[in-house]
Amino acid sequence: PNQAAVDLGCAGQDDSMRTDWPLTRPPRPRRASAAAPVRSSSDRRVERGAHTRQRLIDAACVLFTEHGFAGTSTPDIACRAGVSRGALYHHFSDKQALFAAVYDGVERAMTARLLVCWEGNGALSSWERMRCVIHTFMESATDPTVRQVLMVEAPAVLGCPAWMDTASATTYRLLVSGLEIARREGLLDKDVNLVAAAHLLFGSFTDAAQWIAVAADDPVTCGRANAVADRFLDSFRSGRAPRGAMS
């Protein structure tokens, strides 16, 4: 018998003569594919609603910046957003509620800017990091949207207590953190009360930011405010004379 055929277990038969082989190769089993998630109609409605809400906030932010709260009407906002007034009142009870949402977005953006300033200068001393945060806070008052929405309109629209509670949250915490670290580093006089110092610093810098916001020459005013802020901050510093000169 043919040795190759024996080795293959074919008992001497030629492959072409075998009848036990299938005429076609059996199909390979298909891999089970992950089913694509099916989005329900309620999910799509929620997504459309969130998109409409953000369009209203974006449109209102532009108009409040350009014309102020009193000079902006709800029809103007709905028209700019490309939605009906009914859609506006579906998401917001009134213009003040919409302003609060605009304020929240602007305030969060400024907070992020302050946090970047604080965290991005980790190589500096806590004192210089506080100085950076204070300068950034006051320089933000020269931004048209921050100036109009946060500094000019918010105290009147939201009321001073509500505005101060919201505005002070991050800046105040950063000042307290900076003062605590400065004390551990030996840069802050031990007899200075941290809470009192943070409130005093924040109050004065917030008032300065509002002064910058309404100034006709805001960059010049901001420079003057920063120079005095440096001296005021340094007055709390242990064993060091105030830096710079007031102008």
Side-chain angles (χ1 to χ4, degrees):
N2 184 294
Q3 185 63 40
V6 172
D7 292 341
L8 291 172
C10 299
Q13 294 183 1
D14 182 76
D15 287 350
S16 63
M17 301 296 293
R18 295 190 59 181
T19 59
D20 58 334
W21 283 11
L23 297 178
T24 60
R25 180 177 296 178
R28 294 180 180 178
R30 294 183 178 179
R31 294 181 180 178
S33 58
V38 178
R39 296 172 59 200
S40 66
S41 58
S42 62
D43 290 338
R44 289 192 293 271
R45 282 196 301 270
V46 169
E47 186 177 301
R48 286 196 300 269
H51 180 66
T52 299
R53 185 178 189 277
Q54 190 58 51
R55 284 169 61 186
L56 286 163
I57 292 173
D58 292 343
C61 185
V62 172
L63 293 173
F64 288 148
T65 299
E66 294 178 351
H67 308 293
F69 181 80
T72 300
S73 67
T74 52
D76 291 338
I77 297 170
C79 179
R80 185 177 182 92
V83 302
S84 66
R85 288 186 68 192
L88 187 153
Y89 286 110
H90 172 76
H91 292 282
F92 302 99
S93 58
D94 53 24
K95 189 172 69 168
Q96 184 175 2
L98 178 51
F99 179 87
V102 170
Y103 173 90
D104 182 63
V106 177
E107 197 272 336
R108 280 189 286 107
M110 191 178 76
T111 294
R113 195 182 310 168
L114 297 178
L115 289 173
V116 166
C117 179
W118 176 264
E119 295 171 358
N121 289 284
L124 300 178
S125 70
S126 59
W127 211 264
E128 295 307 317
R129 293 169 79 186
M130 280 194 293
R131 196 186 308 282
C132 175
V133 168
I134 291 165
H135 284 198
T136 301
F137 175 72
M138 292 201 292
E139 287 162 6
S140 68
T142 64
D143 176 89
T145 298
V146 172
R147 178 176 62 229
Q148 190 67 31
V149 174
L150 264 62
M151 304 296 176
V152 176
E153 300 290 350
V157 177
L158 301 179
C160 281
W163 173 72
M164 287 296 290
D165 288 345
T166 306
S168 65
T170 300
T171 310
Y172 175 78
R173 285 198 303 268
L174 289 176
L175 285 172
V176 171
S177 298
L179 291 170
E180 288 176 342
I181 297 171
R183 172 164 286 174
R184 292 198 297 269
E185 293 175 348
L187 299 174
L188 181 68
D189 286 333
K190 294 181 179 180
D191 59 346
V192 173
N193 181 279
L194 295 181
V195 174
H199 276 286
L200 185 61
L201 288 168
F202 175 76
S204 61
F205 298 148
T206 301
D207 190 67
Q210 290 181 291
W211 173 54
I212 294 166
V214 299
D217 56 346
D218 51 4
V220 175
T221 303
C222 185
R224 292 171 178 164
N226 279 336
V228 176
D230 287 341
R231 291 177 63 90
F232 187 38
L233 177 65
D234 286 339
S235 69
F236 291 88
R237 189 165 182 170
S238 175
R240 180 175 177 178
R243 60 176 285 188
M246 288 191 292
S247 58

